[in-house]
Amino acid sequence: MLYLDNAATTPVRPEVLEAMMPYLTRWYGNPSSHHTVGEAAADALAEARARVARVLGLRAGDIVFTSGGTEANNLAIKGIAIAAALRRADEAPRRAESADAHGRAHVVTTPIEHESVLESVAYLERVHGFAATHVPVDAEARVSTDAVDRSLRDDTVLVSIGYANNEVGTVQDAADIAAALRERRVPLHLDAVQAAGWLPLSAAELGYDAISLAGHKLGAPKGTGVLGIRGRIPLEPLLHGGGQERGRRSGTEDVAGAIGFATALELAESERVEASARVGAIRDRFIARVLEHVPSARLTGDPVHRLAGTASFTFAGTSGEAVLLELERRGVVSSSGSACAAGSDEPSHVLLAMGIAPDVAQTAVRFTFPRWLNAPLDAVADAVEASVAAVSAPGR
């Protein structure tokens, strides 16, 4: 069985498990406890924080450990936006009520984001009276910097963009968007959950103000994640309690998880350039073979600006679920898109936003490759051809 659904999750790397084990079995103390076992845990947590910060080019104090990418996105979007709205409310009397005729404040995103981003924005609209703009994307899922810039208002407090799309793999020009926002003094949050290990993450290079990452996309356990957020950006916490993570995320920290996350991130970053080139070449050969041999195949996403580990197609006239079942029967495990939306009968919101017809969107199949992949996928392309032919046969 060949597992090609690595955008959904990846196995825990042996190096990660080895690094975590002492903090699950020996140094298992609560890092807030003032005794030897607790202090050892606190030291390990501080080391993990510093290691993550080095990869991102942030300060150690800018790193907030979370339970994954969904929490990191929720904390970034709600936390930054609500903190900004509270600050605006405090300042309103002093600025002669130049206040917002459109709501408490304004946030910007795109219609192709992960559900944790879209639902966080919807929450701000529904519960806190925010206004929101969803900047359209083109047919290849790219958003233009000019369109983002035009969407800004005087009361815009946050722009949240996915660095790389989780369904079609399209990569956005994050640095260019960040530069435009910097001129307008609007913070940028990057959802980099899918980008980590494939694309640069340096804050200096990209210019973001906040970034979300998930450990299980990198070879760390599920339930681990990070929000990197520059210290100058006010953040309203979502979880209240003991004030851990410098008051930004209460709850006893998962020290072993933090160590595992830091280890996985360092390994992925050290391998990134070579892995992206190697896997990208395999991806290109696979895409070309599928497009050549399967007449109904259409590549989705940007053909150039895309993750090295993602190839996604529609197969008009078929059922995506039927193709997936045929592929699995032939030993290939893949998916129809985001695992977070699995089980939904609705066509992908990402593909619909790209202008793909609903009936065609429901034929989508996504292949996402591991970083260790080192051999051509010709046999998988042949399996795709046979699977599409099988479900397209008369009488099916």
Side-chain angles (χ1 to χ4, degrees), residues 90-132:
D90 288 343
E91 294 173 353
R94 297 194 296 274
R95 53 183 182 173
E97 203 57 51
S98 67
D100 179 20
H102 307 284
R104 297 187 65 190
H106 176 241
V107 294
V108 174
T109 189
T110 82
I112 64 167
E113 303 305 322
H114 187 269
E115 287 82 354
S116 61
V117 170
L118 296 176
E119 289 301 319
S120 292
V121 170
Y123 167 85
L124 290 174
E125 292 180 281
R126 184 178 69 254
V127 176
H128 293 280
F130 278 72

Side-chain angles (χ1 to χ4, degrees), residues 195-201 205 265-281 308-309 371 373:
W198 297 113
L199 299 173
L201 298 177
E205 182 176 344
L265 182 64
E266 287 177 335
L267 288 169
E269 178 62 18
S270 70
E271 299 162 353
R272 175 176 59 80
V273 174
E274 187 277 332
S276 293
R278 171 174 34 82
V279 177
R371 273 174 282 279
L373 186 67

